[in-house]
Amino acid sequence: MITALAPSRKRSNSARRAILTAAFALLEEEGFERLSIEGVAARAGVGKTTIYRWWPTKGVMAVEAFLEAVTPVIAFRRSRSARADIVRQMKALAKLYRGHTGNLVCQMIGASQLDPAMRKAFTEGFLYPRRERAYAVFERGVAGGEFRADVDRDVAIDALYSPIYYRLLASGAPIDEAFLDRHIELVLRGLMA
Amino acid sequence: MITALAPSRKRSNSARRAILTAAFALLEEEGFERLSIEGVAARAGVGKTTIYRWWPTKGVMAVEAFLEAVTPVIAFRRSRSARADIVRQMKALAKLYRGHTGNLVCQMIGASQLDPAMRKAFTEGFLYPRRERAYAVFERGVAGGEFRADVDRDVAIDALYSPIYYRLLASGAPIDEAFLDRHIELVLRGLMA
Amino acid sequence: MITALAPSRKRSNSARRAILTAAFALLEEEGFERLSIEGVAARAGVGKTTIYRWWPTKGVMAVEAFLEAVTPVIAFRRSRSARADIVRQMKALAKLYRGHTGNLVCQMIGASQLDPAMRKAFTEGFLYPRRERAYAVFERGVAGGEFRADVDRDVAIDALYSPIYYRLLASGAPIDEAFLDRHIELVLRGLMA
Amino acid sequence: MITALAPSRKRSNSARRAILTAAFALLEEEGFERLSIEGVAARAGVGKTTIYRWWPTKGVMAVEAFLEAVTPVIAFRRSRSARADIVRQMKALAKLYRGHTGNLVCQMIGASQLDPAMRKAFTEGFLYPRRERAYAVFERGVAGGEFRADVDRDVAIDALYSPIYYRLLASGAPIDEAFLDRHIELVLRGLMA
DNA sequence: GACTAAGCGAGACGGTACGTCTTGTCTTCAC
DNA sequence: GTGAAGACAAGACGTACCGTCTCGCTTAGTC
């Protein structure tokens, strides 16, 4: 037996929790720009070294803190109509993004442009899992004859969801129900079988 | 008369030019993250005060530098078919964004999420003027009977262009001709009269 | 004749007054260290150029402001006894230096060590005129047979007054009546005929 | 027990040495006025923070640099005659002050007037230790019957030494042998038993 | 009475240094 | 033997002043 494994491992997990908690708190209070590894270390009661050991970048750390705190996904319901499920989910997502979370997502995607590792972490940790679920619903719709079979699922999902992000990140135009209704109507016209 | 405007030394145009030139050069060489007001001042042979006097933020300065250097717009041609003009322009835009400029736009929009003044400057200086031209072409299409008259122009333009920005900023998926063809086909199906 | 002297505007006396008043006010409120030409110009409602035109250094300006404001000399009385006149004057001077003015003199002499032009201005504008009066009294004492005739007046005056400045500038020891009595007694023992 | 002292990295002695060496070099080359913390940091190859961590003021740092470099005291000899020892030491001191060191002392005392912490550092680090030795010699003279027993040692030492500082800092009159002879003769006349 | 050159206020400019903040690395000591 | 505490070199931050430089406006004198 090799045994004698250090009791420090347990401690390192509590440090990890303390760090992510502190990071998320600071992210909310100060915003990503003013978030600093120094500040997180102080607030978490942790040495800076401990942070640098596990995260390459304040951005990656922030993404992880964000994911731990915000994870709750906007799930798709599973009714008879895939179309209805998508519409319902998009509206719930938009509602979420109109609030506090939208601001955080904004900052995450924004900061990601200046930090490749962060971008990878955010894309893989946040966007991809959610997109997988959208694929599933869309394909259910194709299988059920609701949607055309000749439309690429990436093209379809992008067409549906991109304007939410465009308005969030660029134009600043409102992402309200009226807009969503019109937008979805337009795209679904091209998507329906 | 009230007037009584204070006489004083005028703003130096040569300093302004030197600053924007240096800022753009550093933006290209180092990227926005490593761009610093200190660095710009040194390279431009200018006091830091002069920069702070005229720009509230390195972000706003960078936007102005970007606009002065990159302005050349992807113009719409004006053929018989508004549809063809839009397709052509979108492809040219995508080609531009696949290159060096796409990277810069990425950084501009990204950094804008962390700097409200920069976001305002970029939106008003870059996005809005280009969008105006897109409105015009779309409305030409409506007038000419090519496009449905009951689709809001903002909804239409967002549906067409958003995925380019989504792929640029978030998913990282390629913005190639194949994708554009499929995407445009999908949206235009819902847009055509 | 050479003549043909140019017609021109004369130096503005009101500007000079405004500058010296502002300088003295700031000297008192903030101290010499935090006194700045910029601050004086702003407070006096005067262009910086006007200050630079007439004073080579903030130190020289401060000395002039100090002299205009503080000039009142501690005069010697003229009684039968030169010794008594000197003692009386030294005590009055010490009292003055124990107060606010001592602090200003301190700062003037201190700053003078780092600014030769200021040192010249202070020495000639402040110290010399006062010393002349001390010479006069001392020589009256010599003439009247109170003081030895073989003591150099500079040696005598320095011996009497230096400790006041030493305590003011260096040791920080109190310059009170008890000290002065003992000190004067000691020096006069060597000075009396 | 209260203790609980924090474990941490120790102060770097090599950084301290580098800083004081650089500071003294710049003090000599440029003078106190042009001495800057920035300049010292650059020359010492040290971060500015390290200087600010350990010295409150450029003045205090300069005093410490001065003390480390100049410490060599003008020692009193210990002959039969305390008077002779004092005279000899005063002349050696005056010689020192007529040279380069006098200039430095001047600047130290001058700048001290504008920086209380520096003044404390200079007084306690430079003046007091030297004064202690003067006390000792004077008291030896009293014990040996050379000097009057009823003269306060502070009064005596001030009377002897102050004019050196007065001439150094204020009047600018020479501190030569001729002056010292006359001055010492005058004061000792009042001091001798 | 008009002309004209300097004085004047305002404040932009190229700079230097300030004192602070944060980065990423390193060292030390207590548990 | 790990990990908190924090010192360290580096370097950018945004501010305060420096001393110089335009700018128009004002104000003497002289012609």
Side-chain angles (χ1 to χ4, degrees), chain C residues 96-152:
Chain C
L96 185 70
Y97 280 4
R98 281 195 299 269
H100 179 58
T101 303
N103 186 22
L104 285 176
V105 170
C106 240
Q107 292 187 61
M108 291 294 117
I109 297 179
S112 285
Q113 308 310 318
L114 311 172
D115 174 351
M118 180 185 186
R119 177 155 174 172
K120 185 163 184 293
F122 186 77
T123 311
E124 294 180 357
F126 188 80
L127 297 175
Y128 286 179
R130 282 155 180 80
R131 175 163 273 251
E132 290 295 335
R133 295 160 201 258
Y135 286 159
V137 182
F138 176 71
E139 279 162 357
R140 182 151 52 81
V142 173
E146 274 183 281
F147 301 140
R148 303 171 64 114
D150 65 345
V151 175
D152 185 84

Coordinates of all heavy atoms in Angstrom, one line a residue, chain C residues 96-152:
Chain C
L96 N 7.7 85.7 18.8 CA 7.2 85.6 17.4 C 7.5 84.3 16.8 O 6.6 83.7 16.1 CB 7.8 86.8 16.6 CG 7.3 86.9 15.2 CD1 5.9 87.5 15.2 CD2 8.2 87.9 14.4
Y97 N 8.7 83.8 17.0 CA 9.1 82.6 16.3 C 8.4 81.3 16.9 O 8.4 80.3 16.3 CB 10.6 82.4 16.3 CG 11.3 83.2 15.3 CD1 10.6 84.1 14.4 CD2 12.7 83.1 15.1 CE1 11.3 84.8 13.4 CE2 13.4 83.9 14.1 CZ 12.6 84.7 13.3 OH 13.3 85.4 12.3
R98 N 8.1 81.5 18.2 CA 7.4 80.3 18.8 C 6.0 80.2 18.2 O 5.4 79.1 18.3 CB 7.2 80.6 20.3 CG 8.5 80.3 21.1 CD 8.1 80.1 22.6 NE 7.6 81.4 23.2 CZ 8.3 82.3 23.7 NH1 9.6 82.2 23.8 NH2 7.7 83.4 24.2
G99 N 5.5 81.2 17.5 CA 4.2 81.1 16.9 C 4.2 80.8 15.5 O 5.1 80.2 14.9
H100 N 3.2 81.2 14.8 CA 2.9 80.9 13.4 C 4.1 81.3 12.5 O 4.5 80.6 11.6 CB 1.6 81.6 13.0 CG 1.3 81.5 11.6 ND1 1.0 80.2 11.1 CD2 1.0 82.4 10.7 CE1 0.7 80.4 9.8 NE2 0.7 81.7 9.5
T101 N 4.6 82.5 12.8 CA 5.6 83.1 12.0 C 6.9 82.2 12.0 O 7.6 82.1 11.0 CB 6.0 84.5 12.4 OG1 4.8 85.3 12.4 CG2 7.0 85.1 11.5
G102 N 7.2 81.6 13.1 CA 8.4 80.8 13.2 C 8.3 79.6 12.2 O 9.2 79.3 11.6
N103 N 7.1 79.1 12.1 CA 6.8 78.0 11.2 C 7.1 78.5 9.8 O 7.7 77.8 9.0 CB 5.4 77.6 11.3 CG 5.1 76.3 10.5 OD1 6.0 75.6 10.1 ND2 3.9 76.1 10.2
L104 N 6.6 79.7 9.4 CA 6.9 80.2 8.1 C 8.4 80.4 7.8 O 8.9 80.1 6.8 CB 6.1 81.5 7.9 CG 4.6 81.4 7.7 CD1 3.9 82.7 7.6 CD2 4.3 80.5 6.4
V105 N 9.0 81.0 8.8 CA 10.5 81.3 8.6 C 11.2 80.0 8.4 O 12.1 79.8 7.5 CB 11.0 82.0 9.9 CG1 12.6 82.1 9.8 CG2 10.5 83.4 9.9
C106 N 10.8 79.0 9.2 CA 11.3 77.6 9.1 C 11.2 77.1 7.6 O 12.2 76.6 7.0 CB 10.5 76.7 9.9 SG 11.4 75.9 11.2
Q107 N 10.1 77.2 7.1 CA 9.8 76.7 5.7 C 10.6 77.6 4.7 O 11.1 77.0 3.7 CB 8.3 76.8 5.4 CG 7.5 75.8 6.2 CD 6.1 75.8 5.7 OE1 5.8 75.4 4.6 NE2 5.2 76.1 6.6
M108 N 10.7 78.9 4.9 CA 11.4 79.7 4.0 C 12.9 79.3 4.0 O 13.5 79.1 2.9 CB 11.3 81.2 4.4 CG 10.0 81.8 4.3 SD 9.5 82.0 2.5 CE 8.1 80.9 2.5
I109 N 13.5 79.2 5.2 CA 14.9 78.8 5.2 C 15.1 77.4 4.7 O 16.1 77.1 4.0 CB 15.5 79.0 6.7 CG1 15.4 80.4 7.1 CG2 16.9 78.5 6.8 CD1 15.9 80.7 8.5
G110 N 14.2 76.5 5.1 CA 14.3 75.2 4.6 C 14.3 75.1 3.1 O 15.2 74.5 2.5
A111 N 13.3 75.6 2.5 CA 13.1 75.5 1.1 C 14.3 76.3 0.4 O 14.7 75.9 -0.7 CB 11.8 76.1 0.6
S112 N 14.8 77.3 1.0 CA 16.0 78.0 0.5 C 17.2 77.1 0.2 O 18.0 77.4 -0.7 CB 16.4 79.1 1.4 OG 15.5 80.2 1.3
Q113 N 17.3 76.0 1.0 CA 18.5 75.2 0.8 C 18.4 74.4 -0.5 O 19.4 73.9 -1.0 CB 18.5 74.1 1.9 CG 18.5 74.7 3.3 CD 19.4 75.9 3.6 OE1 20.6 75.8 3.1 NE2 18.9 76.9 4.2
L114 N 17.2 74.4 -1.1 CA 17.1 73.6 -2.4 C 16.9 74.6 -3.5 O 16.6 74.1 -4.6 CB 15.9 72.7 -2.2 CG 15.9 71.8 -0.9 CD1 14.6 71.0 -0.8 CD2 17.1 70.8 -0.9
D115 N 17.0 75.9 -3.3 CA 16.7 76.9 -4.4 C 17.5 78.1 -4.1 O 17.1 79.0 -3.4 CB 15.2 77.2 -4.3 CG 14.8 78.3 -5.3 OD1 15.7 78.9 -5.9 OD2 13.6 78.6 -5.4
P116 N 18.7 78.2 -4.8 CA 19.6 79.3 -4.6 C 19.0 80.6 -4.7 O 19.3 81.5 -4.0 CB 20.7 79.0 -5.6 CG 20.6 77.5 -5.9 CD 19.2 77.2 -5.8
A117 N 18.2 80.8 -5.8 CA 17.6 82.1 -6.0 C 16.7 82.5 -4.8 O 16.7 83.7 -4.4 CB 16.8 82.1 -7.3
M118 N 16.0 81.5 -4.3 CA 15.1 81.8 -3.2 C 16.0 82.1 -1.9 O 15.7 83.1 -1.2 CB 14.3 80.5 -2.8 CG 13.4 80.7 -1.7 SD 12.5 79.2 -1.3 CE 11.4 79.8 0.0
R119 N 17.1 81.4 -1.8 CA 18.0 81.7 -0.6 C 18.5 83.1 -0.7 O 18.5 83.8 0.3 CB 19.1 80.7 -0.6 CG 20.1 81.0 0.5 CD 20.9 79.8 0.9 NE 21.9 80.2 1.9 CZ 22.6 79.3 2.5 NH1 22.5 78.0 2.4 NH2 23.5 79.8 3.4
K120 N 18.9 83.5 -1.9 CA 19.4 84.9 -2.0 C 18.3 85.9 -1.7 O 18.5 86.9 -0.9 CB 19.8 85.1 -3.5 CG 20.5 86.5 -3.8 CD 21.3 86.4 -5.1 CE 22.0 87.7 -5.4 NZ 21.1 88.8 -5.6
A121 N 17.1 85.6 -2.2 CA 16.0 86.6 -1.9 C 15.7 86.7 -0.5 O 15.4 87.7 0.1 CB 14.7 86.1 -2.7
F122 N 15.7 85.5 0.2 CA 15.3 85.5 1.6 C 16.4 86.2 2.5 O 16.1 87.0 3.4 CB 15.0 84.1 2.1 CG 14.5 84.1 3.5 CD1 13.2 84.4 3.8 CD2 15.3 83.8 4.6 CE1 12.7 84.4 5.1 CE2 14.9 83.7 5.9 CZ 13.5 84.1 6.1
T123 N 17.6 85.8 2.2 CA 18.7 86.4 3.0 C 18.7 87.9 2.8 O 18.8 88.6 3.8 CB 20.1 85.8 2.5 OG1 19.9 84.4 2.4 CG2 21.2 86.2 3.4
E124 N 18.7 88.4 1.6 CA 18.8 89.8 1.4 C 17.5 90.6 1.8 O 17.6 91.7 2.2 CB 19.1 90.1 -0.1 CG 20.5 89.5 -0.4 CD 20.9 89.8 -1.9 OE1 20.0 90.3 -2.7 OE2 22.0 89.4 -2.3
G125 N 16.4 89.9 1.6 CA 15.1 90.6 1.9 C 14.7 90.5 3.3 O 14.0 91.4 3.9
F126 N 15.1 89.5 4.0 CA 14.7 89.3 5.4 C 15.8 89.4 6.4 O 15.7 90.2 7.3 CB 14.0 87.9 5.5 CG 13.3 87.7 6.8 CD1 12.1 88.2 7.1 CD2 13.9 87.0 7.8 CE1 11.4 88.0 8.3 CE2 13.3 86.8 9.1 CZ 12.1 87.3 9.3
L127 N 16.8 88.6 6.2 CA 17.8 88.5 7.3 C 18.7 89.7 7.4 O 18.9 90.3 8.4 CB 18.7 87.3 7.1 CG 18.0 85.9 7.2 CD1 18.9 84.8 6.8 CD2 17.4 85.7 8.6
Y128 N 19.2 90.2 6.2 CA 20.2 91.3 6.2 C 19.6 92.6 6.9 O 20.2 93.2 7.7 CB 20.7 91.6 4.8 CG 21.7 90.6 4.3 CD1 22.3 90.7 3.1 CD2 22.1 89.5 5.2 CE1 23.2 89.7 2.6 CE2 23.1 88.6 4.7 CZ 23.6 88.7 3.4 OH 24.5 87.8 3.0
P129 N 18.4 93.0 6.4 CA 17.9 94.3 7.0 C 17.8 94.2 8.5 O 18.1 95.1 9.3 CB 16.5 94.4 6.4 CG 16.6 93.6 5.2 CD 17.5 92.4 5.4
R130 N 17.4 93.0 9.0 CA 17.2 92.9 10.5 C 18.6 92.9 11.2 O 18.7 93.4 12.2 CB 16.4 91.6 10.8 CG 14.9 91.8 10.5 CD 14.2 90.5 10.2 NE 12.8 90.8 10.0 CZ 12.3 91.3 8.9 NH1 13.1 91.6 7.9 NH2 11.0 91.6 8.8
R131 N 19.5 92.2 10.5 CA 20.9 92.2 11.1 C 21.5 93.6 11.2 O 22.2 93.9 12.1 CB 21.7 91.3 10.2 CG 23.2 91.2 10.6 CD 23.9 90.0 10.0 NE 23.7 88.8 10.8 CZ 24.7 88.3 11.5 NH1 25.9 88.8 11.5 NH2 24.5 87.2 12.3
E132 N 21.2 94.4 10.2 CA 21.7 95.8 10.2 C 21.3 96.5 11.5 O 22.1 97.2 12.1 CB 21.2 96.6 9.0 CG 21.8 96.2 7.7 CD 23.3 96.4 7.6 OE1 23.8 97.3 8.3 OE2 23.9 95.7 6.8
R133 N 20.1 96.3 11.9 CA 19.6 96.9 13.1 C 20.3 96.4 14.3 O 20.6 97.1 15.3 CB 18.1 96.7 13.3 CG 17.3 97.4 12.1 CD 15.9 96.9 12.0 NE 15.4 97.1 10.7 CZ 14.5 98.1 10.4 NH1 14.1 98.9 11.4 NH2 14.1 98.3 9.2
A134 N 20.6 95.0 14.3 CA 21.3 94.4 15.4 C 22.7 95.0 15.5 O 23.2 95.3 16.6 CB 21.3 92.9 15.3
Y135 N 23.3 95.2 14.4 CA 24.7 95.8 14.3 C 24.6 97.1 15.1 O 25.5 97.4 15.9 CB 25.1 96.1 12.9 CG 25.6 94.9 12.1 CD1 25.6 94.9 10.7 CD2 26.0 93.7 12.7 CE1 26.0 93.9 10.0 CE2 26.4 92.6 12.0 CZ 26.4 92.7 10.6 OH 26.8 91.6 9.8
A136 N 23.6 97.9 14.7 CA 23.5 99.3 15.2 C 23.5 99.3 16.7 O 24.2 100.0 17.4 CB 22.3 100.0 14.6
V137 N 22.6 98.4 17.3 CA 22.5 98.4 18.7 C 23.8 97.9 19.4 O 24.2 98.5 20.4 CB 21.3 97.5 19.2 CG1 21.1 97.5 20.7 CG2 20.0 97.9 18.5
F138 N 24.3 96.9 18.8 CA 25.6 96.4 19.4 C 26.7 97.5 19.4 O 27.4 97.7 20.4 CB 26.1 95.2 18.6 CG 27.4 94.6 19.0 CD1 27.5 94.0 20.2 CD2 28.6 94.9 18.3 CE1 28.8 93.5 20.7 CE2 29.8 94.4 18.7 CZ 29.9 93.7 19.9
E139 N 26.7 98.2 18.3 CA 27.8 99.2 18.2 C 27.5 100.4 19.2 O 28.4 101.0 19.7 CB 27.9 99.7 16.7 CG 28.8 98.7 16.0 CD 28.7 98.8 14.5 OE1 27.8 99.6 14.0 OE2 29.4 98.0 13.8
R140 N 26.2 100.6 19.4 CA 25.9 101.6 20.4 C 26.4 101.1 21.7 O 27.0 101.9 22.5 CB 24.4 101.8 20.4 CG 23.9 102.8 21.4 CD 22.6 103.5 20.9 NE 21.5 102.5 20.6 CZ 20.7 101.9 21.5 NH1 20.8 102.2 22.7 NH2 19.8 101.1 21.0
G141 N 26.3 99.8 22.0 CA 26.7 99.3 23.2 C 28.3 99.4 23.4 O 28.8 99.7 24.4
V142 N 28.9 99.2 22.2 CA 30.4 99.3 22.3 C 30.8 100.7 22.5 O 31.6 101.0 23.4 CB 31.0 98.8 20.9 CG1 32.5 99.1 20.9 CG2 30.8 97.3 20.7
A143 N 30.1 101.6 21.8 CA 30.4 103.1 21.9 C 30.2 103.5 23.4 O 30.9 104.3 23.9 CB 29.6 103.9 21.0
G144 N 29.1 103.0 24.0 CA 28.8 103.4 25.3 C 29.6 102.7 26.4 O 29.3 102.8 27.6
G145 N 30.5 101.8 26.0 CA 31.3 101.1 27.0 C 30.7 99.9 27.6 O 31.3 99.3 28.5
E146 N 29.5 99.5 27.1 CA 28.9 98.4 27.7 C 29.5 97.1 27.2 O 29.7 96.1 28.0 CB 27.4 98.3 27.3 CG 26.5 99.1 28.1 CD 25.0 98.9 27.7 OE1 24.6 99.6 26.7 OE2 24.3 98.1 28.3
F147 N 29.9 97.0 25.9 CA 30.4 95.8 25.3 C 31.9 96.0 25.0 O 32.4 97.1 24.8 CB 29.7 95.5 24.0 CG 28.2 95.2 24.2 CD1 27.3 95.7 23.3 CD2 27.8 94.5 25.4 CE1 26.0 95.4 23.5 CE2 26.4 94.3 25.6 CZ 25.5 94.8 24.6
R148 N 32.7 94.9 25.0 CA 34.1 95.0 24.7 C 34.2 95.5 23.3 O 33.4 95.2 22.4 CB 34.6 93.6 24.7 CG 34.5 92.9 26.0 CD 34.9 91.4 25.9 NE 36.3 91.3 25.5 CZ 37.2 90.8 26.3 NH1 36.9 90.3 27.5 NH2 38.5 90.7 25.9
A149 N 35.3 96.2 23.0 CA 35.5 96.8 21.7 C 36.2 95.8 20.8 O 36.3 96.1 19.6 CB 36.3 98.1 21.9
D150 N 36.7 94.8 21.4 CA 37.6 93.9 20.5 C 36.8 92.7 20.0 O 37.4 91.7 19.5 CB 38.8 93.4 21.3 CG 38.4 92.5 22.5 OD1 37.2 92.6 22.9 OD2 39.2 91.9 23.1
V151 N 35.5 92.7 20.1 CA 34.7 91.6 19.6 C 34.0 92.0 18.3 O 33.4 93.0 18.2 CB 33.6 91.2 20.6 CG1 32.7 90.1 19.9 CG2 34.2 90.6 21.9
D152 N 34.3 91.2 17.3 CA 33.7 91.4 16.0 C 32.2 91.4 16.1 O 31.6 90.6 16.7 CB 34.2 90.3 15.0 CG 33.7 90.6 13.6 OD1 34.4 91.3 12.9 OD2 32.7 90.0 13.2

